[in-house]
Short mmCIF file of all heavy atoms in Angstrom, two decimals:
data_model
loop_
_atom_site.label_atom_id
_atom_site.label_comp_id
_atom_site.label_asym_id
_atom_site.label_seq_id
_atom_site.Cartn_x
_atom_site.Cartn_y
_atom_site.Cartn_z
N ALA A 72 0.77 -1.25 0.01
CA ALA A 72 0.01 0.02 -0.01
C ALA A 72 0.83 1.28 -0.04
O ALA A 72 0.29 2.35 -0.29
CB ALA A 72 -0.98 0.00 1.19
N GLY A 73 2.17 1.16 0.36
CA GLY A 73 3.03 2.32 0.23
C GLY A 73 3.78 2.59 1.58
O GLY A 73 4.50 3.62 1.63
N SER A 74 3.66 1.78 2.57
CA SER A 74 4.47 1.95 3.78
C SER A 74 5.87 1.52 3.55
O SER A 74 6.11 0.27 3.46
CB SER A 74 3.79 1.18 4.94
OG SER A 74 4.54 1.43 6.18
N GLU A 75 6.81 2.40 3.52
CA GLU A 75 8.14 2.09 3.12
C GLU A 75 8.93 1.44 4.31
O GLU A 75 10.01 0.76 4.05
CB GLU A 75 8.88 3.29 2.62
CG GLU A 75 8.24 3.73 1.25
CD GLU A 75 8.51 5.19 0.95
OE1 GLU A 75 8.11 6.10 1.72
OE2 GLU A 75 9.03 5.43 -0.11
N ILE A 76 8.50 1.72 5.52
CA ILE A 76 9.05 1.08 6.71
C ILE A 76 7.83 0.63 7.55
O ILE A 76 6.88 1.26 7.69
CB ILE A 76 9.94 2.03 7.54
CG1 ILE A 76 11.06 2.58 6.72
CG2 ILE A 76 10.42 1.40 8.80
CD1 ILE A 76 11.84 3.74 7.39
N VAL A 77 7.96 -0.61 8.12
CA VAL A 77 6.84 -1.15 8.86
C VAL A 77 7.38 -1.46 10.31
O VAL A 77 8.38 -2.12 10.46
CB VAL A 77 6.25 -2.37 8.28
CG1 VAL A 77 5.09 -2.95 9.12
CG2 VAL A 77 5.75 -2.12 6.84
N ARG A 78 6.65 -0.95 11.34
CA ARG A 78 7.06 -1.15 12.73
C ARG A 78 6.28 -2.28 13.31
O ARG A 78 5.08 -2.45 13.10
CB ARG A 78 6.86 0.13 13.51
CG ARG A 78 7.39 0.18 14.88
CD ARG A 78 7.78 1.61 15.35
NE ARG A 78 6.80 2.64 15.10
CZ ARG A 78 6.08 3.25 16.06
NH1 ARG A 78 6.32 2.96 17.35
NH2 ARG A 78 5.20 4.13 15.79
N VAL A 79 6.97 -3.02 14.24
CA VAL A 79 6.38 -4.18 14.90
C VAL A 79 6.60 -4.09 16.40
O VAL A 79 7.71 -3.82 16.81
CB VAL A 79 7.03 -5.55 14.40
CG1 VAL A 79 6.35 -6.74 15.05
CG2 VAL A 79 6.89 -5.60 12.86
N THR A 80 5.57 -4.17 17.15
CA THR A 80 5.68 -4.01 18.61
C THR A 80 6.46 -5.25 19.11
O THR A 80 6.33 -6.42 18.81
CB THR A 80 4.32 -3.98 19.30
OG1 THR A 80 4.50 -3.72 20.65
CG2 THR A 80 3.49 -5.26 19.12
N THR A 81 7.41 -4.90 20.13
CA THR A 81 8.31 -5.93 20.69
C THR A 81 8.39 -5.74 22.17
O THR A 81 9.43 -5.20 22.68
CB THR A 81 9.66 -5.78 19.99
OG1 THR A 81 9.52 -5.65 18.57
CG2 THR A 81 10.48 -7.09 20.19
N PRO A 82 7.36 -6.14 22.95
CA PRO A 82 7.36 -5.78 24.36
C PRO A 82 8.16 -6.71 25.23
O PRO A 82 8.52 -6.33 26.32
CB PRO A 82 5.87 -5.91 24.70
CG PRO A 82 5.34 -6.85 23.73
CD PRO A 82 6.08 -6.65 22.42
N THR A 83 8.49 -7.95 24.80
CA THR A 83 9.22 -8.92 25.60
C THR A 83 10.23 -9.58 24.75
O THR A 83 10.29 -9.48 23.51
CB THR A 83 8.30 -9.94 26.23
OG1 THR A 83 7.85 -10.90 25.18
CG2 THR A 83 7.10 -9.37 26.92
N LEU A 84 11.10 -10.34 25.45
CA LEU A 84 12.17 -11.06 24.73
C LEU A 84 11.53 -12.11 23.80
O LEU A 84 12.10 -12.41 22.66
CB LEU A 84 13.08 -11.73 25.73
CG LEU A 84 14.35 -12.38 25.22
CD1 LEU A 84 15.22 -11.33 24.50
CD2 LEU A 84 15.12 -13.04 26.33
N GLY A 85 10.39 -12.72 24.16
CA GLY A 85 9.67 -13.68 23.34
C GLY A 85 9.31 -13.08 22.04
O GLY A 85 9.48 -13.76 20.94
N GLU A 86 8.75 -11.90 22.01
CA GLU A 86 8.39 -11.23 20.76
C GLU A 86 9.62 -10.93 19.94
O GLU A 86 9.60 -10.98 18.72
CB GLU A 86 7.59 -9.93 21.04
CG GLU A 86 6.17 -10.10 21.25
CD GLU A 86 5.76 -10.51 22.68
OE1 GLU A 86 6.73 -10.46 23.51
OE2 GLU A 86 4.64 -10.89 22.98
N ALA A 87 10.70 -10.53 20.59
CA ALA A 87 11.97 -10.21 19.85
C ALA A 87 12.42 -11.45 19.09
O ALA A 87 12.96 -11.32 17.94
CB ALA A 87 13.02 -9.68 20.81
N GLN A 88 12.29 -12.62 19.76
CA GLN A 88 12.79 -13.82 19.03
C GLN A 88 11.85 -14.20 17.91
O GLN A 88 12.31 -14.81 16.95
CB GLN A 88 12.86 -14.91 20.16
CG GLN A 88 13.96 -14.70 21.19
CD GLN A 88 13.82 -15.57 22.36
OE1 GLN A 88 12.73 -16.19 22.65
NE2 GLN A 88 14.91 -15.63 23.20
N CYS A 89 10.62 -13.77 17.90
CA CYS A 89 9.71 -14.05 16.82
C CYS A 89 10.07 -13.26 15.60
O CYS A 89 9.70 -13.64 14.47
CB CYS A 89 8.26 -13.72 17.20
SG CYS A 89 7.56 -14.82 18.38
N LEU A 90 10.82 -12.13 15.76
CA LEU A 90 11.19 -11.28 14.66
C LEU A 90 12.03 -12.03 13.59
O LEU A 90 11.93 -11.72 12.41
CB LEU A 90 11.90 -10.05 15.14
CG LEU A 90 11.06 -9.08 16.00
CD1 LEU A 90 11.97 -8.00 16.53
CD2 LEU A 90 9.96 -8.50 15.21
N GLU A 91 12.81 -12.98 14.02
CA GLU A 91 13.63 -13.75 13.15
C GLU A 91 12.71 -14.42 12.04
O GLU A 91 13.04 -14.31 10.87
CB GLU A 91 14.51 -14.77 13.83
CG GLU A 91 15.37 -15.54 12.84
CD GLU A 91 16.24 -16.57 13.57
OE1 GLU A 91 16.03 -16.82 14.75
OE2 GLU A 91 17.23 -17.05 12.95
N GLU A 92 11.71 -15.13 12.52
CA GLU A 92 10.80 -15.84 11.62
C GLU A 92 9.96 -14.86 10.78
O GLU A 92 9.71 -15.15 9.60
CB GLU A 92 9.92 -16.75 12.44
CG GLU A 92 9.05 -17.75 11.58
CD GLU A 92 8.25 -18.70 12.38
OE1 GLU A 92 8.30 -18.61 13.62
OE2 GLU A 92 7.55 -19.49 11.77
N ILE A 93 9.49 -13.83 11.43
CA ILE A 93 8.73 -12.82 10.68
C ILE A 93 9.52 -12.23 9.49
O ILE A 93 9.04 -12.09 8.41
CB ILE A 93 8.30 -11.70 11.63
CG1 ILE A 93 7.22 -12.23 12.62
CG2 ILE A 93 7.73 -10.49 10.83
CD1 ILE A 93 6.88 -11.24 13.67
N LYS A 94 10.81 -11.87 9.79
CA LYS A 94 11.63 -11.31 8.77
C LYS A 94 11.84 -12.34 7.65
O LYS A 94 11.84 -11.99 6.46
CB LYS A 94 12.97 -10.86 9.39
CG LYS A 94 13.88 -10.00 8.48
CD LYS A 94 13.38 -8.63 8.19
CE LYS A 94 14.46 -7.81 7.59
NZ LYS A 94 13.91 -6.46 7.16
N ALA A 95 12.19 -13.53 8.03
CA ALA A 95 12.54 -14.57 7.06
C ALA A 95 11.31 -14.91 6.15
O ALA A 95 11.43 -15.04 4.89
CB ALA A 95 12.97 -15.85 7.73
N LYS A 96 10.12 -15.02 6.77
CA LYS A 96 8.95 -15.42 6.01
C LYS A 96 8.54 -14.25 5.11
O LYS A 96 8.02 -14.42 4.01
CB LYS A 96 7.79 -15.73 6.99
CG LYS A 96 7.90 -17.16 7.51
CD LYS A 96 6.66 -17.61 8.17
CE LYS A 96 6.67 -19.05 8.56
NZ LYS A 96 5.47 -19.54 9.26
N THR A 97 8.64 -13.00 5.56
CA THR A 97 8.32 -11.86 4.74
C THR A 97 9.23 -11.81 3.50
O THR A 97 8.82 -11.62 2.34
CB THR A 97 8.49 -10.53 5.53
OG1 THR A 97 7.65 -10.62 6.69
CG2 THR A 97 8.08 -9.31 4.68
N ARG A 98 10.54 -12.04 3.68
CA ARG A 98 11.44 -12.13 2.62
C ARG A 98 11.17 -13.24 1.64
O ARG A 98 11.24 -13.07 0.43
CB ARG A 98 12.91 -12.22 3.16
CG ARG A 98 13.98 -12.06 2.07
CD ARG A 98 15.36 -12.35 2.71
NE ARG A 98 15.72 -11.37 3.70
CZ ARG A 98 15.88 -11.63 4.98
NH1 ARG A 98 15.70 -12.94 5.43
NH2 ARG A 98 16.23 -10.70 5.88
N GLU A 99 10.83 -14.39 2.14
CA GLU A 99 10.52 -15.53 1.38
C GLU A 99 9.25 -15.42 0.55
O GLU A 99 9.19 -15.73 -0.68
CB GLU A 99 10.45 -16.78 2.28
CG GLU A 99 10.08 -18.14 1.49
CD GLU A 99 9.89 -19.31 2.49
OE1 GLU A 99 10.26 -19.20 3.68
OE2 GLU A 99 9.28 -20.25 2.00
N GLN A 100 8.20 -14.81 1.17
CA GLN A 100 6.93 -14.74 0.51
C GLN A 100 6.80 -13.51 -0.38
O GLN A 100 5.97 -13.51 -1.29
CB GLN A 100 5.82 -14.80 1.55
CG GLN A 100 5.73 -16.03 2.35
CD GLN A 100 4.66 -16.02 3.40
OE1 GLN A 100 3.68 -15.17 3.31
NE2 GLN A 100 4.78 -16.85 4.45
N TYR A 101 7.63 -12.51 -0.11
CA TYR A 101 7.41 -11.21 -0.84
C TYR A 101 8.72 -10.54 -1.16
O TYR A 101 9.24 -10.64 -2.25
CB TYR A 101 6.55 -10.30 0.14
CG TYR A 101 6.36 -8.95 -0.34
CD1 TYR A 101 5.69 -8.67 -1.58
CD2 TYR A 101 6.68 -7.82 0.44
CE1 TYR A 101 5.42 -7.37 -2.01
CE2 TYR A 101 6.43 -6.53 0.05
CZ TYR A 101 5.83 -6.29 -1.19
OH TYR A 101 5.58 -5.01 -1.62
N MET A 102 9.35 -9.86 -0.18
CA MET A 102 10.64 -9.18 -0.34
C MET A 102 11.11 -8.80 1.00
O MET A 102 10.46 -8.95 2.00
CB MET A 102 10.54 -8.00 -1.33
CG MET A 102 9.56 -6.90 -0.81
SD MET A 102 9.49 -5.43 -1.89
CE MET A 102 11.18 -4.77 -1.77
N ASP A 103 12.34 -8.22 1.03
CA ASP A 103 12.90 -7.81 2.32
C ASP A 103 12.36 -6.41 2.67
O ASP A 103 12.92 -5.43 2.24
CB ASP A 103 14.42 -7.78 2.16
CG ASP A 103 15.12 -7.64 3.57
OD1 ASP A 103 14.43 -7.63 4.64
OD2 ASP A 103 16.37 -7.51 3.58
#
């Protein structure tokens, strides 16, 4: 839609660890 940077809430260490998979899947399914 045009958001050139996308922010993700990261309130705990558990959410921070999820970012690895989020980043990888976004790159795999779409782009970096």
Side-chain angles (χ1 to χ4, degrees):
S74 182
E75 294 159 300
I76 300 169
V77 180
R78 187 151 50 111
V79 181
T80 187
T81 316
T83 71
L84 192 59
E86 276 83 9
Q88 293 165 343
C89 290
L90 295 174
E91 180 178 17
E92 188 177 1
I93 291 171
K94 189 73 166 174
K96 283 192 171 183
T97 303
R98 188 185 295 115
E99 178 185 344
Q100 297 178 23
Y101 176 58
M102 61 180 291
D103 192 6

